Amino acid sequence: MHIRRTRSLLAVTALTALALTACENGTGTRDEGASALPETPSTSASAPASAPAAPADGGTTTPAKNGNKDGNKDGNKDGTKDNAKGGSKTPAPATRVLCNGSTTKVTAQPVPRPLNHMLLTVTNTGSKTCDLTYYPVLRFDEMQWVPRAAEETHPQAVVTLAPGESGYAGVLLSAADGSGDGGTTAEKLTVAFQGMTPNSDGGAAATPALPAAGVYYDSSLTVTYWQQDREDALSW
């Protein structure tokens, strides 16, 4: 009797197991509905593009054909073309020459004020900038002495004339009080130029025309240094 009950119990247990098996899905696990884990994405669909293969020798890839170290065709190490040779060149300063009779036009004109004065004007007619150094060396007719220069008129810098510009010098012809000696009237004037050192030869001299009546001068004859402004030449 006991054996029959045991067999019946085993048969019921087997039927229960079969019923539970019918409720399970085909994968052998219970279907948990929304709580089931999401599917794993397909490897072939989501895999990133393959990276470029490294060179066989283990070195780095070669830059583009037209590039330099920074990949810039027209650049240098800094990637700029203009700096490849140290940047743009600074223009060389224009060549300067001495002002003299061959590169200038010189005029000599008596002025009403100051009294007994004459103004020398030198205009650069050349194509290069010229330096008007020291003071003019004057010679009336065949005079045998050189007029002195008024040292108080020495400019702070050498007078420089660009093409077309003018420089000036004042000339005291005679003493206003009549204290000068050896007064005479000149009909010809020669203006000599100095070089880069005092009393050196500065090149061709000039012979500006004088008034038809000539110019009266005496031992008081004095010249100023060359000046950049007309007013400075006549203000001493």
Side-chain angles (χ1 to χ4, degrees), residues 66-153:
N66 293 332
N68 60 5
K69 290 186 178 181
D70 293 329
N72 187 326
K73 174 183 178 181
D74 294 330
N76 58 6
K77 291 183 179 180
D78 296 328
T80 56
K81 181 177 181 179
D82 291 339
N83 290 330
K85 295 183 179 180
S88 58
K89 293 182 180 179
T90 302
T95 302
R96 288 162 57 172
V97 298
L98 288 171
C99 299
N100 57 39
S102 66
T103 59
T104 64
K105 177 183 178 181
V106 182
T107 62
Q109 184 65 46
V111 295
R113 293 286 183 276
L115 190 64
N116 300 337
H117 276 65
M118 182 173 70
L119 178 68
L120 295 178
T121 302
V122 177
T123 303
N124 183 356
T125 58
S127 60
K128 298 179 180 179
T129 298
C130 68
D131 291 331
L132 201 52
T133 57
Y134 303 104
Y135 53 86
V137 178
L138 305 184
R139 184 182 183 188
F140 284 110
D141 293 332
E142 302 299 325
M143 64 185 296
Q144 300 300 310
W145 54 281
V146 177
R148 74 178 186 89
E151 290 299 326
E152 62 270 27
T153 65

